[in-house]
Each structure stands twice: as structure tokens, then as C-alpha cells.
């Protein structure tokens, strides 16, 4: 299922699963990711799955590119290997103080805010990958008429918990960080828990997310 | 612990980006946590060798300006690695210290680390163990994700640095080492090399780039000739590794360093080879660098040579 393995620098394999972004290709990436993770191969220092690539970083003292490439090429993943999937429900408040870009989204999509939010909450989303900053999930797919580009000028600080959309994806800002996604609301739920060292991510690749809408009072109640 | 039994440093001035670092944490890229760890691994390794500590013992890393520390407790030795100017202040007077030499500190003595010279990072440690907490097997502080001891924050004034163990069988040693500089940064062409026009590919290797002030543990931003993208200024976000050189939409290179974001969507023109990473991170803003293209096989050999050279330097510690 890996189309091609290249090198990324001198200490990482760049496994290419295709150029498209869809759940089928991504599910293959995630299967390989979990499978190789379980093998616990000595000298592999990091695995980074994304939409359609898997990057395998290794210790140059232990592996060379060609020897590790051969090892990975010989891995067999059965088509019927099941992906572990959890359904996770996440509350989101779309109060004016949180929906930072709702006006921009209304203008760009030419839809009323209530319609936008109704469509946003009516769908389940698939987690393609987590990362950029700790625990940030990249979720998809939004309906075609809900897709728009990121902000022309990214915000210097996006508040923690912000839920944003861009193109076919939505995400949750697990930390206050710079960013350019269109923010529709904010979740009071902690998505990344530093104190939980065995499983700090609430959302993992392959999981399904259901957002549900809450009022400001409910938001404050959960926050407390 | 009663205060008279404690051994600790009090921070009189924190310095710039002063943090605990060790070799960092592995296998967390997939949840968005970079490996962190000491930026200059060779100087980290030399310091722990000089102090006869375990190879992965925590040290204190600083950038440009180090901390000013006052010591309280039993006699202890300290050492500094990197190209660093510092003073040791005791009851007998003030002396200028040398890097890669161990010095005795008594109760009430101070170390004032003024600056790193023509370099960015320096390292401070003791013949013993700092009292640190471990997060995913590492005490490295990642200030971006707020992971590590001190709540993931850099050191601040008045913080107290606990020492939980002093190695009493320690022999004072030193090393004559002037550091290692580099003329060209060697790279391997990246997975999106063909996204850039032929004239820009040539410029990338022929002309020089200046390191800007927008450089830290996450990344190093460069300015120079604009690199023209002829395919698409963005790619579908994918994993990054340290040393990857991305070209932003504005046509400027940005090199990923130890605390980098784990995924990114700018095309990758090249990746710095592992052998040159320690010396790359020590280049100061304002410096000019040139990139040189090498093959993967050469990069693997150059890394082995670099490791041999490090071991050779360690063997010269007397």
C-alpha cells in the first residue's frame, strides 16, 4: 500500500501513500503507523502519520536508509486489519465571544450563521492526524459548500479551545498558538492532557468526532 | 527538607531562554510533541563527560546570555561547555572562568554567565544531579507546548535549582577544546525540490542567506534571494524532521530546529545533514550561510566521522 519510499534528509524514511487526501488512503497510513508502532523496532525514534504520508525517523547509529527501507517494505499489512475507532463527543459553544470568524464565514460562504452552524454540527468527523502542536486533531470532511480558505493574515494568538475550519477540514486549538483557521466556537473540554502520560490525546488518528452545541452557561459550568 | 541540608542555586538573573535539557523525548511526533533536547548535542555530551555524569543527565542550557547563580550548600564542582564568557565570584575575589574546565564552588559563591561568544548556546552543569521531574522519559523543557519541569517554562529570577545528589568520587578534569566551526551547511535535496524554478535551485546553492533575528529553538528563518515556487506554495500537511528547510509562501527558507511544529504544509527544498546540525544551531543571527549539496551516502559517512570526532575529543579529557 506504500507507493514509494524516499529519504527525508539522512535520518528519516518518507513513505508516500498517494497524493489525494481521502479517508481510504489515510486509513492505510494509520494502519501502518499502528502496526509499526506495535513492532517497537529498535532505533526508530519517531513515526509521523499525516493525510497521505508516513515519516519514520531513525537513529543513524543503528540504521542506514537502505537497510531500514528494506525492513519497512517487507512489512505486510492485511487488508482486513481493523482500525480501532472511538466515537468522541466534544461540546462547543458558539457564543459571539468565541465565534471569532463567523461574520467572515457568512460573507465568504454566503450562508446565514445559523445554517452554517447547523451544517457544522450535523456531521461526524474523521480524525486524519494529530500534531503541529501537541494534540491538535485534523478532522474531516466538511460538506463542499462549507469549504473556504484560511485567513489571509493568520492571528498571532488563537485562544486555546478554539474550533476552526479551513478547506475540507476542522481542527481544535489545544494550545494558544498562532493560526489562520476560521474560528466558529470554543470547547471547554481539555483535548490534550500533559498529566496523562500514557494517553495525553483525547482524539487519536482514526477516531470519529461528534461536536455538540452548548450554551455559554453550560460552557462556564464545564470550565468550572 | 531542612534548609541547612539543601544544596541549591538561587537564580539572581535568569539569562535568555534558560531551560533544563537532556537528550530529549522520542516517539511523540504523532501526537504533536517534538523531541526537544539539548540543541548542540556535542557540547551536551562533552559537559556530562567532563563532569563524569551519566550520558543523559540533565544540564542547564542558555542562549546568548546565561544565568547569574548563587550557590548554597556543600562543596560542589561545576563546568560550562560552549564558547562562553563567565565569572566566578568567591570571598577571595572574582576570576574569569574558562569553558571545559571544572571549578569548585563553596556555600555563598556565585557564577555569572555573561554571554556566549560568536555562538548561540552554552551549557552549565555540576558533578551531580539536578532535582527535575521527567515527562515522557525526559526532563527537557519545551516552552512552546509547556512540557517539562518548571511547568514547561523557561527559568526566571528567584527560582531555586535543587541538587539532589553530589558525586563525591569526582576527579576534577579539563579539556582543551576551541569548538568547531563550519563554512558551508551541507544538505540533501528535499522531497519537493522540483517545486522550485531552475534559477531558484541554482541560487539556493550559489548565493548566501542571512540568519534573521526570528530564530529560536523552534526554527531559524533566513533571508536572501527569493526562492520561486513554480508548482504550488503549499503541500498537503505532512511530517517534518529537524533540519528540514521549508520555503514559505513569501519565498524565504525556514529551517526546522529541535522544538519544531511536527507537521507543516510548506514545500521542502532540502534537509540539513545530521553531521552539521550541532554547528548550524550555533550560528548567530546576522551570520551568512551557504548550502552545499551532498548525497545520502556521503551524509551517512559524514555522520559517522562526526561521531568519531566527538569520541576523539572526549578521549582527550584529562
Amino acid at each position: 500500500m506504500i507507493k514509494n519510499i524516499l529519504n527525508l534528509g539522512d535520518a528519516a524514511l518518507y513513505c508516500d501513500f498517494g497524493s489525494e487526501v481521502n479517508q481510504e488512503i489515510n486509513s492505510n497510513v494509520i494502519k501502518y503507523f499502528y502496526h509499526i508502532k506495535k513492532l517497537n523496532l529498535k532505533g526508530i525514534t519517531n513515526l509521523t502519520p499525516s493525510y497521505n504520508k508516513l515519516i519514520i525517523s531513525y537513529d543513524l547509529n543503528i540504521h542506514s536508509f537502505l537497510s531500514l527501507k528494506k525492513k519497512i517494505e517487507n512489512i505486510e499489512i492485511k487488508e482486513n486489519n481493523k482500525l480501532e475507532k472511538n466515537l468522541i463527543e466534544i461540546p462547543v459553544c458558539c457564543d459571539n465571544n468565541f465565534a471569532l470568524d463567523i461574520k467572515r464565514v457568512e460573507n465568504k460562504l454566503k450562508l446565514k450563521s445559523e445554517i452554517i452552524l447547523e451544517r457544522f454540527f450535523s456531521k461526524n468527523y474523521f480524525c486524519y492526524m494529530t500534531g503541529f502542536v501537541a494534540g491538535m486533531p485534523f478532522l474531516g470532511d466538511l460538506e463542499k459548500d462549507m469549504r473556504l480558505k484560511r485567513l489571509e493574515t493568520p492571528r498571532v494568538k488563537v485562544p486555546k479551545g478554539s474550533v476552526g475550519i479551513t478547506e475540507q477540514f476542522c481542527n481544535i486549538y489545544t494550545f494558544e498558538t498562532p493560526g489562520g483557521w476560521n474560528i466558529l466556537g470554543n470547547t471547554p473540554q481539555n483535548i490534550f492532557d500533559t498529566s496523562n502520560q500514557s494517553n495525553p490525546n483525547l482524539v487519536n488518528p482514526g477516531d470519529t468526532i461528534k461536536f455538540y452545541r452548548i450554551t455559554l452557561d453550560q460552557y462556564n459550568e464545564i470550565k468550572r | 527538607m531542612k534548609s541547612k541540608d539543601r544544596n541549591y542555586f538561587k537564580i539572581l538573573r535568569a539569562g535568555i531562554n534558560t531551560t533544563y535539557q537532556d537528550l530529549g523525548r522520542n516517539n511523540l511526533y504523532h501526537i504533536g510533541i517534538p523531541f526537544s533536547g539539548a540543541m548542540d548535542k556535542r557540547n551536551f555530551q562533552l559537559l556530562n563527560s567532563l563532569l563524569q555524569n551519566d550520558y543523559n543527565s540533565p544540564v542547564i542550557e542558555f542562549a546568548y546570555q546565561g544565568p547569574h547563580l548563587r550557590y548554597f550548600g556543600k562543596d560542589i564542582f561545576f563546568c560550562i561547555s560552549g564558547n562562553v564568557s563567565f565569572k566566578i565570584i568567591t570571598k577571595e575575589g572574582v576570576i574569569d572562568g574558562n569553558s571545559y574546565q571544572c571549578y569548585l564552588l563553596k556555600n555563598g559563591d556565585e557564577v555569572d554567565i555573561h554571554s556566549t561568544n560568536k555562538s548561540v548556546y552554552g551549557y552549565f552543569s555540576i558533578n551531580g544531579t539536578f532535582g527535575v521531574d521527567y515527562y515522557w522519559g525526559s526532563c527537557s523543557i519545551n516552552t512552546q507546548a509547556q512540557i517539562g519541569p518548571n511547568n514547561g517554562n523557561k527559568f526566571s529570577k528567584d527560582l531555586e535549582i535543587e541538587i539532589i545528589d553530589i558525586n563525591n568520587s569526582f576527579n576534577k578534569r579539563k579539556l582543551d577544546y576551541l569548538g568547531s566551526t563550519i563554512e558551508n551547511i551541507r544538505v540533501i535535496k528535499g522531497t519537493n525540490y522540483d517545486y522550485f524554478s531552475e534559477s531558484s535551485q541554482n541560487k539556493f546553492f550559489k548565493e548566501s542567506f542571512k540568519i534573521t533575528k526570528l530564530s529560536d529553538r523552534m526554527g531559524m528563518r533566513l533571508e536572501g534571494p527569493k526562492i520561486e515556487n513554480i508548482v504550488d506554495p503549499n503541500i498537503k500537511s505532512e511530517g517534518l524532521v529537524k533540519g528540514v528547510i521549508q520555503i514559505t509562501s513569501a519565498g524565504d527558507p525556514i529551517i526546522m530546529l529541535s522544538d519544531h511544529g511536527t507537521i507543516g504544509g510548506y514545500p521542502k527544498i532540502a534537509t540539513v545533514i545530521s553531521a552539521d546540525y550541532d554547528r548550524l544551531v550555533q550560528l548567530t543571527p546576522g551570520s551568512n550561510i551557504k548550502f552545499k549539496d551532498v548525497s545520502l551516502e556521503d551524509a551517512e559517512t559524514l555522520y559517522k566521522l562526526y561521531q568519531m570526532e566527538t569520541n576523539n575529543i572526549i578521549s582527550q579529557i584529562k
Side-chain angles (χ1 to χ4, degrees), chain A residues 145-164:
Chain A
D145 58 1
M146 286 281 286
R147 297 178 185 181
L148 75 167
K149 290 205 152 72
R150 59 186 72 207
L151 310 185
E152 277 91 27
T153 311
R155 284 196 170 80
V156 179
K157 283 178 181 177
V158 180
K160 179 182 172 178
S162 291
V163 175

Side-chain angles (χ1 to χ4, degrees), chain A:
Chain A
M1 283 184 284
I2 300 178
K3 292 209 161 133
N4 193 12
I5 300 182
L6 300 169
N7 65 301
L8 180 59
D10 57 14
L13 302 189
Y14 179 90
C15 307
D16 189 358
F17 288 75
S19 53
E20 306 285 298
V21 175
N22 60 51
Q23 293 182 22
E24 193 196 332
I25 289 179
N26 184 245
S27 297
N28 285 336
V29 175
I30 296 169
K31 277 182 197 169
Y32 264 84
F33 161 67
Y34 281 118
H35 184 85
I36 297 170
K37 194 162 176 267
K38 227 179 252 171
L39 291 177
N40 215 355
L41 296 175
K42 192 176 172 240
I44 289 194
T45 53
N46 267 302
L47 296 165
T48 324
S50 58
Y51 298 124
N52 48 28
K53 308 282 183 281
L54 174 65
I55 291 176
I56 305 175
S57 306
Y58 54 89
D59 183 345
L60 257 180
N61 293 308
I62 296 176
H63 296 289
S64 71
F65 173 70
L66 286 177
S67 68
L68 188 61
K69 179 174 180 237
K70 201 170 269 176
K71 231 176 231 166
I72 298 300
E73 280 169 343
N74 287 335
I75 287 176
E76 266 184 58
I77 307 260
K78 292 187 192 90
E79 285 293 335
N80 58 4
N81 249 11
K82 271 226 179 102
L83 203 58
E84 222 177 280
K85 282 184 181 179
N86 301 305
L87 176 70
I88 298 157
E89 299 195 25
I90 295 176
V92 179
C93 176
C94 300
D95 189 79
N96 286 337
N97 293 327
F98 296 137
L100 306 175
D101 297 308
I102 190 72
K103 286 277 175 294
R104 176 188 141 91
V105 179
E106 276 189 321
N107 287 334
K108 292 275 173 188
L109 298 181
K110 307 207 165 28
L111 291 171
K112 286 216 159 68
S113 66
E114 274 317 304
I115 306 278
I116 292 166
L117 295 178
E118 197 187 299
R119 290 199 188 162
F120 175 74
F121 283 105
S122 69
K123 240 188 145 259
N124 286 355
Y125 299 100
F126 173 82
C127 178
Y128 282 95
M129 59 182 177
T130 58
F132 176 60
V133 296
M136 182 189 274
F138 288 76
L139 312 164
D141 298 329
L142 287 163
E143 298 292 353
K144 289 222 161 56
D145 58 1
M146 286 281 286
R147 297 178 185 181
L148 75 167
K149 290 205 152 72
R150 59 186 72 207
L151 310 185
E152 277 91 27
T153 311
R155 284 196 170 80
V156 179
K157 283 178 181 177
V158 180
K160 179 182 172 178
S162 291
V163 175
I165 60 172
T166 197
E167 294 165 358
Q168 77 204 65
F169 309 109
C170 33
N171 80 353
I172 308 169
Y173 284 84
T174 48
F175 287 88
E176 183 185 273
T177 159
W181 293 48
N182 302 277
I183 306 301
L184 298 183
N186 192 292
T187 177
Q189 181 133 12
N190 203 15
I191 307 295
F192 181 82
D193 181 3
T194 311
S195 66
N196 181 350
Q197 300 212 3
S198 62
N199 193 16
N201 272 10
L202 179 70
V203 184
N204 287 292
D207 287 347
T208 301
I209 301 304
K210 167 119 195 90
F211 291 113
Y212 65 97
R213 198 168 170 180
I214 54 169
T215 64
L216 186 57
D217 286 344
Q218 288 168 318
Y219 181 96
N220 290 331
E221 187 64 33
I222 298 172
K223 269 273 177 190
R224 202 180 299 151

Side-chain angles (χ1 to χ4, degrees), chain B residues 4 24 62 77 84 97 133 152 157 180 191 233 250 259 288 315:
Chain B
K4 67 174 171 128
F62 46 88
F77 285 93
V84 181
D133 297 326
K157 191 173 179 289
S180 166
T191 43
D259 285 351
N288 286 307
S315 72

Side-chain angles (χ1 to χ4, degrees), chain B residues 81-308:
Chain B
S81 69
N83 186 352
V84 181
S85 292
F86 61 98
K87 285 191 183 336
I88 304 155
I89 304 157
T90 68
K91 288 183 192 79
E92 280 81 51
V94 180
I95 62 160
D96 287 315
N98 293 318
S99 293
Y100 309 106
Q101 278 193 33
C102 299
Y103 295 93
L104 177 72
L105 284 181
K106 290 179 178 298
N107 188 42
D109 290 352
E110 292 174 18
V111 184
D112 185 0
I113 306 171
H114 291 261
S115 63
T116 54
N117 305 318
K118 295 180 190 152
S119 57
V120 180
Y121 297 100
Y123 297 89
F124 171 94
S125 193
I126 43 137
N127 62 323
T129 312
F130 295 117
V132 294
D133 297 326
Y134 283 79
Y135 296 80
W136 293 285
S138 166
C139 70
S140 290
I141 293 177
N142 173 346
T143 56
Q144 168 69 22
Q146 293 189 312
I147 291 168
N150 195 31
N151 297 319
N153 294 312
K154 59 188 182 184
F155 290 2
S156 52
K157 191 173 179 289
D158 296 329
L159 186 80
E160 291 176 357
I161 298 169
E162 299 292 338
I163 294 154
I164 53 168
D165 183 42
I166 298 176
N167 172 13
N168 292 316
S169 61
F170 170 79
N171 307 306
K172 192 174 150 185
R173 299 197 296 178
K174 68 176 228 178
L175 171 68
D176 292 315
Y177 177 61
L178 295 169
S180 166
T181 54
I182 194 160
E183 237 165 74
N184 295 318
I185 296 297
R186 292 166 293 190
V187 301
I188 296 175
K189 282 176 191 156
T191 43
N192 307 115
Y193 187 70
D194 57 5
Y195 272 49
F196 304 99
S197 70
E198 205 183 317
S199 76
S200 284
Q201 291 174 347
N202 290 334
K203 277 183 198 163
F204 183 75
F205 287 113
K206 287 211 175 78
E207 296 187 22
S208 66
F209 291 87
K210 192 163 135 191
I211 300 172
T212 72
K213 283 183 181 154
L214 290 171
S215 298
D216 56 20
R217 284 185 51 97
M218 292 182 73
M220 189 183 261
R221 284 175 185 265
L222 309 178
E223 59 185 23
K226 296 284 175 194
I227 303 299
E228 183 201 8
N229 189 316
I230 50 170
V231 179
D232 191 337
N234 290 293
I235 56 169
K236 299 297 173 197
S237 289
E238 59 185 37
L240 297 170
V241 295
K242 76 169 181 180
V244 161
I245 308 172
Q246 299 186 99
I247 302 294
T248 65
S249 313
D252 296 315
I254 169 165
I255 312 180
M256 297 295 106
L257 302 182
S258 303
D259 285 351
H260 68 81
T262 54
I263 52 183
Y266 292 127
K268 306 168 174 74
I269 193 167
T271 306
V272 176
I273 67 170
S274 298
D276 287 356
Y277 187 79
D278 289 344
R279 289 168 288 190
L280 168 76
V281 301
Q282 290 287 14
L283 297 171
T284 53
S287 312
N288 286 307
I289 57 176
K290 268 190 167 181
F291 295 111
K292 187 171 182 288
D293 176 27
V294 296
S295 69
L296 173 60
E297 294 73 23
D298 285 351
E300 287 175 344
T301 309
L302 288 164
Y303 181 73
K304 287 196 181 95
L305 290 173
Y306 184 71
Q307 292 288 79
M308 279 163 64

